[in-house]
Amino acid sequence: MMEYWKCLKDDETELYNKRGNKWRKNAVYSDAIYTFDIEVSNLFNIDNKWTIFDKSKPKEFYQNVDMMGLPYIWMFGINNNVYYGREFAEFEDLLKQISNEHIKKIIWVHNLAYEFQFLLNIFDGKYTIDKMVCRDIHKPISFIIKELNIEFRCSYMLTNLSLARAASEFTNIKKLDSLDYDAKVRTPNTELTDEELLYCEYDIHCLNDVIKYYKEERYKHIVEIPLTSTGEVRKKMHKITDYYYVRKMQNLVPSKAMYMRMWACFAGGYTHANILNSGRVMKKGKGMDICSSYPWQALHKLPSTAFHRCLKSEFNTEPYKWAYIALVKFKGVKSKYYTSYMQVSKCIFSDDPEEAKDQRRHLTTDNGRVVMSKEHSMWLTSIDYDIIMRNYEIDEVEVLEVYRSYLDYLDKRIINLILELYGNKTKLKGIKEKESIYKRDKAMLNSIYGMCVTNPLKQSSRYNNGWVRDALTDEFIKNKLNEMKASGSTLMFYGAGVWITALARKQLFDCLLPEDEAIAHEFDTHTVYSDTDSIKYVGDYDFIFDEYNKKVLEEHKQIAADLDLDIELFAPKDIKGVEHPIGVYELDSIFDEMLTLGAKKYVVRENGELHLTLSGVRKSGVSALNNDIRNFKNGFVFDYDHSGKLIHLYTEQQPEVDIIDEDGNTYHSTNSYGVVLYPTTYTIGQTDLYEALIELLEIYDAERR
């Protein structure tokens, strides 16, 4: 069992000097594994008593209830030794005890965003929180406590997995079954059972072994472990490239004006339900997935030089040679299909308020996609332009500005890396003794795209006696881009990432809306749902994907010939000897029934079982439907037990109060900062416009038939 923290014995014998053999201040790191975790009571002031969440009360009741998060135990690990404390303030004493101005120590926390809010009870106003890296407000990835020479890092951002899943993936230890967090009021004065203490201890053992795996299997030293999963592939790319490659990427960092144009062109995956079939139970269908879509698109020719302005008349004239981005004005827009493409969020309306109001009044949308528009403009790539012109009837098109970049393949070393990682992902899947390499390479393959579309402007939050988000001023944007120009971590061109996503959408729409308009109109009435690299449909339309796959295989040959690559690299075999060509459509599922109500809202019956995909509800919540797919409808409520959705309330002015636990012990809480996690229900909802469109299409389809 873990020991009380005052029995702690720090181990400073495992040291690593990052800057060579010379002893320099802050250059020496401890190679020991330090880990930290807490357990918290979520408390609610109901009838002047601090108590646990009451599920008998509706969620509206909690809108006016005072809440607080109270840590009742904290755990700290040094390698595989686990220590605990009950008073949260005592953790500061432990940090002082292990602090060494000459030896930096890294403490790993799984989901640092959560623990950080509680750590502010110790740090805020007393210590300097330095060199913070974060995704957004309340979402730190790492930071340093300057006076203690201690760094905190988020292991969740490294693994992108829950602690239970990470332990299962990377270690031989299993996270114990979860505590019933809200079963009773617990405080630092509450006597915990052996089972509760063992659960707490094993959380630290699990986290220790996950970090130990990264240290021993992937890196030699703790400090070499990257902050995020994307950082892993950066390290790999640094090893295979050279100074000249890095300088080229730095020189491709655009000006502020060009970056904003490219950012305006960037769009992610296409996630959409076919409105004709939304709200209907569709019978006997299939799901087709693109095999490693983004890695496949990265093998194509992409923007390789800085974008420069060109003549409007040159737009899209040599699409095999140039990548174009343009500001285009559209008038009299009407979708030819039930599948609509243009994103409303990307539309630019008139600068004149009255004109803009009129344009918006004449805008018809389908769950965020443009169905009809009187007039709007968009920044888009030439690839998106081609899809739009195929998707819509448009009265007038005016190209306002055009820029172009020369199309070329990524550096051959990067191409080889992508194919190597894809090959390992395919060949090693299911081989137990190679599982760690399979998982590593699969994660790195997926991270290459993330490197392409890293947006430095999102990294604009920090903590300085309160959360601060930098305004996107011209000066701030220029400074961020200048940092990229000077950074050795700038290893990919943002324009390439913009193109990869556009190519992925093209591959999706080449099958959603084939070139033959008759087939496109017919298939359009039989598609049900699309999501980035997958299409679900009913009917006998396999030939569409078979024909498209033939084109992909021809592209394999062309790319292999252009780059003098072995064609077999494009179609590695799995452990059963089956080839998996990169970029082809593969059969992913066969369903008996499917019902969708919009993006990220659908339920599918496969092999007799219902499976739920609903943003905001856990997959196991499908049991609330009582095995009846027709229960999945507008207004259906997933209750507390089925939704699995938790509200995160960050508190900064928790009251100083006395709390009585289940055993009658009184505890005086002085913690100002905390996080309260509490359940909520989820009601399936659709906008009035979306419902009206579905009703109109049902009437139209009945008349048509």
Side-chain angles (χ1 to χ4, degrees):
M1 292 288 287
M2 55 186 173
E3 297 185 85
Y4 183 57
W5 80 269
K6 289 190 177 178
C7 302
L8 179 145
K9 295 177 182 178
D10 195 8
D11 183 0
E12 295 183 350
T13 60
E14 299 182 72
L15 303 179
Y16 171 58
N17 191 338
K18 191 177 180 183
R19 300 182 185 175
N21 295 322
K22 292 183 179 180
W23 185 277
R24 299 181 185 177
K25 186 176 180 181
N26 296 336
V28 178
Y29 289 78
S30 172
D31 235 2
I33 300 173
Y34 298 93
T35 49
F36 177 66
D37 190 21
I38 63 175
E39 297 299 338
V40 175
S41 284
N42 301 296
L43 302 175
F44 307 85
N45 190 357
I46 300 175
D47 297 330
N48 294 318
K49 179 183 178 182
W50 288 95
T51 185
I52 60 174
F53 188 85
D54 185 353
K55 291 183 178 179
S56 69
K57 298 184 181 299
K59 68 177 184 180
E60 293 77 15
F61 171 81
Y62 287 94
Q63 293 177 357
N64 299 308
V65 170
D66 291 331
M67 307 176 187
M68 68 181 300
L70 176 67
Y72 59 85
I73 187 171
W74 55 265
M75 299 79 71
F76 186 75
I78 303 177
N79 295 322
N80 213 31
N81 299 314
V82 186
Y83 304 90
Y84 76 93
R86 301 301 301 274
E87 285 285 352
F88 193 69
E90 289 181 329
F91 184 56
E92 180 184 2
D93 298 327
L94 181 147
L95 293 175
K96 290 178 180 177
Q97 183 171 317
I98 68 169
S99 173
N100 186 316
E101 65 174 320
H102 299 296
I103 303 171
K104 180 168 287 184
K105 296 175 179 178
I106 297 173
I107 299 175
W108 297 90
V109 184
H110 208 74
N111 194 5
L112 183 57
Y114 180 75
E115 268 80 0
F116 178 74
Q117 186 72 4
F118 293 95
L119 288 170
L120 288 176
N121 289 298
I122 296 172
F123 298 148
D124 198 38
K126 295 176 66 176
Y127 297 94
T128 304
I129 298 172
D130 195 24
K131 297 181 179 178
M132 175 175 278
V133 178
C134 59
R135 293 174 293 155
D136 205 342
I137 285 177
H138 293 303
K139 295 179 180 179
I141 297 172
S142 71
F143 61 88
I144 293 170
I145 301 301
K146 189 174 181 179
E147 292 82 355
L148 300 175
N149 196 25
I150 290 175
E151 180 179 352
F152 284 80
R153 290 190 184 183
C154 180
S155 52
Y156 176 78
M157 292 302 299
L158 172 66
T159 64
N160 285 327
L161 299 170
S162 67
L163 182 56
R165 179 78 183 277
S168 173
E169 291 270 349
F170 303 129
T171 78
N172 294 319
I173 193 171
K174 183 179 179 182
K175 192 178 187 298
L176 298 186
D177 290 338
S178 177
L179 283 174
D180 190 346
Y181 293 104
D182 298 317
K184 59 183 179 180
V185 175
R186 299 182 181 94
T187 77
N189 290 342
T190 304
E191 184 176 350
L192 301 180
T193 66
D194 287 347
E195 289 78 13
E196 290 171 331
L197 290 169
L198 191 64
Y199 171 88
C200 296
E201 179 183 359
Y202 261 71
D203 273 7
I204 291 293
H205 285 312
C206 288
L207 182 51
N208 174 82
D209 284 11
V210 168
I211 302 304
K212 184 179 179 182
Y213 161 79
Y214 274 88
K215 176 185 174 183
E216 296 182 353
E217 298 292 330
R218 301 195 188 184
Y219 306 93
K220 293 181 179 179
H221 302 286
I222 288 292
V223 70
E224 299 297 336
I225 300 174
L227 294 180
T228 66
S229 56
T230 303
E232 287 202 88
V233 78
R234 289 185 191 279
K235 286 181 175 287
K236 183 79 171 178
M237 287 180 63
H238 268 298
K239 289 181 180 179
I240 64 172
T241 55
D242 53 29
Y243 167 81
Y244 300 100
Y245 175 82
V246 175
R247 288 295 295 158
K248 178 182 178 181
M249 293 302 108
Q250 291 172 332
N251 290 333
L252 283 175
V253 174
S255 66
K256 178 255 178 182
M258 187 56 66
Y259 188 87
M260 299 307 286
R261 295 183 187 107
M262 293 163 66
W263 191 10
C265 288
F266 174 76
Y270 181 87
T271 303
H272 203 64
N274 185 331
I275 194 165
L276 175 66
N277 297 319
S278 186
R280 300 180 179 188
V281 179
M282 307 300 291
K283 303 278 190 177
K284 304 295 181 184
K286 295 180 179 179
M288 300 293 287
D289 276 15
I290 303 170
C291 193
S292 292
S293 177
Y294 285 164
W296 162 234
Q297 312 307 338
L299 301 181
H300 290 76
K301 289 185 177 182
L302 306 170
S304 64
T305 61
F307 278 92
H308 293 289
R309 191 159 191 163
C310 63
L311 297 175
K312 299 176 189 178
S313 59
E314 293 179 305
F315 176 60
N316 227 5
T317 54
E318 297 178 286
Y320 54 88
K321 182 178 179 181
W322 298 102
Y324 298 90
I325 62 174
L327 177 61
V328 182
K329 181 186 288 186
F330 299 101
K331 291 184 179 180
V333 176
K334 182 179 180 182
S335 180
K336 295 193 292 185
Y337 302 94
Y338 298 112
T339 302
S340 301
Y341 185 76
M342 293 189 205
Q343 289 179 256
V344 176
S345 61
K346 293 290 181 179
C347 294
I348 303 169
F349 299 100
S350 173
D351 292 333
D352 181 89
E354 287 302 316
E355 283 187 9
K357 186 177 180 180
D358 180 63
Q359 290 169 358
R360 290 181 182 277
R361 187 168 58 246
H362 288 87
L363 182 70
T364 303
T365 64
D366 165 10
N367 208 15
R369 303 281 169 176
V370 175
V371 177
M372 289 189 291
S373 171
K374 178 180 180 181
E375 181 180 335
H376 70 268
S377 302
M378 296 180 75
W379 278 101
L380 43 77
T381 70
S382 47
I383 294 171
D384 292 304
Y385 177 83
D386 288 341
I387 298 171
I388 287 169
M389 298 308 291
R390 201 165 73 206
N391 196 162
Y392 294 87
E393 293 176 353
I394 303 174
D395 293 339
E396 186 179 331
V397 177
E398 182 182 359
V399 178
L400 304 176
E401 290 182 44
V402 184
Y403 302 83
R404 70 183 183 184
S405 166
Y406 185 72
L407 285 169
D408 202 357
Y409 294 111
L410 293 176
D411 188 292
K412 188 175 177 180
R413 292 167 291 188
I414 307 300
I415 297 284
N416 276 322
L417 175 61
I418 293 171
L419 291 172
E420 175 193 338
L421 295 174
Y422 176 71
N424 287 345
K425 170 194 167 185
T426 305
K427 292 183 288 189
L428 303 180
K429 185 177 182 180
I431 302 177
K432 191 170 183 180
E433 56 270 26
K434 300 288 186 179
E435 195 169 8
S436 63
I437 301 174
Y438 160 74
K439 291 170 181 174
R440 178 198 67 192
D441 288 3
K442 179 183 177 182
M444 285 202 289
L445 180 66
N446 294 333
S447 295
I448 289 176
Y449 164 72
M451 288 179 56
C452 294
V453 293
T454 298
N455 184 351
L457 305 188
K458 287 189 175 181
Q459 299 169 1
S460 58
S461 303
R462 65 189 187 281
Y463 192 87
N464 183 16
N465 295 323
W467 281 102
V468 178
R469 179 182 279 124
D470 295 305
L472 293 180
T473 61
D474 285 353
E475 183 180 3
F476 173 79
I477 295 171
K478 289 176 182 177
N479 288 340
K480 281 292 184 180
L481 293 173
N482 286 334
E483 287 176 14
M484 287 183 68
K485 290 179 181 180
S487 173
S489 295
T490 302
L491 296 170
M492 297 293 277
F493 178 34
Y494 183 67
V498 173
W499 228 249
I500 287 170
T501 56
L503 286 170
R505 293 190 296 275
K506 179 181 184 300
Q507 180 164 2
L508 198 71
F509 265 77
D510 280 348
C511 287
L512 278 173
L513 304 178
E515 290 183 9
D516 186 316
E517 281 206 15
I519 295 175
H521 279 287
E522 184 180 341
F523 189 50
D524 183 46
T525 64
H526 287 78
T527 57
V528 185
Y529 190 84
S530 305
D531 191 350
T532 305
D533 60 355
S534 64
I535 300 174
K536 296 186 187 298
Y537 63 97
V538 296
D540 187 15
Y541 293 96
D542 294 4
F543 69 92
I544 292 175
F545 302 96
D546 292 339
E547 289 299 314
Y548 191 86
N549 284 346
K550 290 177 184 177
K551 296 179 183 178
V552 172
L553 296 179
E554 289 301 313
E555 288 184 89
H556 287 181
K557 294 176 184 178
Q558 184 65 56
I559 296 169
D562 289 347
L563 297 174
D564 191 24
L565 295 169
D566 186 347
I567 190 65
E568 291 185 2
L569 294 174
F570 292 78
K573 296 178 181 179
D574 62 20
I575 57 174
K576 296 180 180 179
V578 178
E579 286 188 347
H580 292 274
I582 189 170
V584 301
Y585 278 92
E586 291 186 328
L587 179 64
D588 178 64
S589 62
I590 298 175
F591 60 84
D592 301 311
E593 295 179 307
M594 180 172 183
L595 195 160
T596 182
L597 298 175
K600 300 296 183 184
K601 293 180 182 178
Y602 65 86
V603 61
V604 174
R605 187 183 300 280
E606 296 178 13
N607 299 319
E609 291 188 7
L610 282 182
H611 301 276
L612 174 71
T613 297
L614 180 60
S615 181
V617 176
R618 60 188 173 194
K619 290 188 178 298
S620 61
V622 70
S623 61
L625 300 175
N626 293 320
N627 203 34
D628 186 347
I629 197 170
R630 288 170 179 78
N631 284 333
F632 189 72
K633 57 188 176 182
N634 200 26
F636 183 85
V637 179
F638 290 86
D639 60 23
Y640 290 126
D641 292 325
H642 288 96
S643 79
K645 186 178 181 181
L646 293 175
I647 291 177
H648 291 59
L649 176 67
Y650 289 83
T651 57
E652 296 180 351
Q653 294 179 330
Q654 293 185 167
E656 186 173 332
V657 293
D658 289 331
I659 298 167
I660 302 173
D661 68 11
E662 299 297 318
D663 300 323
N665 303 310
T666 300
Y667 176 76
H668 187 70
S669 173
T670 59
N671 291 318
S672 296
Y673 296 93
V675 183
V676 185
L677 302 180
Y678 63 100
T680 186
T681 60
Y682 183 95
T683 303
I684 299 176
Q686 296 170 308
T687 64
D688 292 341
L689 175 60
Y690 194 71
E691 283 189 295
L693 281 171
I694 290 174
E695 290 175 6
L696 284 172
L697 286 172
E698 285 177 348
I699 296 170
Y700 166 76
D701 195 48
E703 292 174 348
R704 182 171 61 101
R705 286 182 291 153

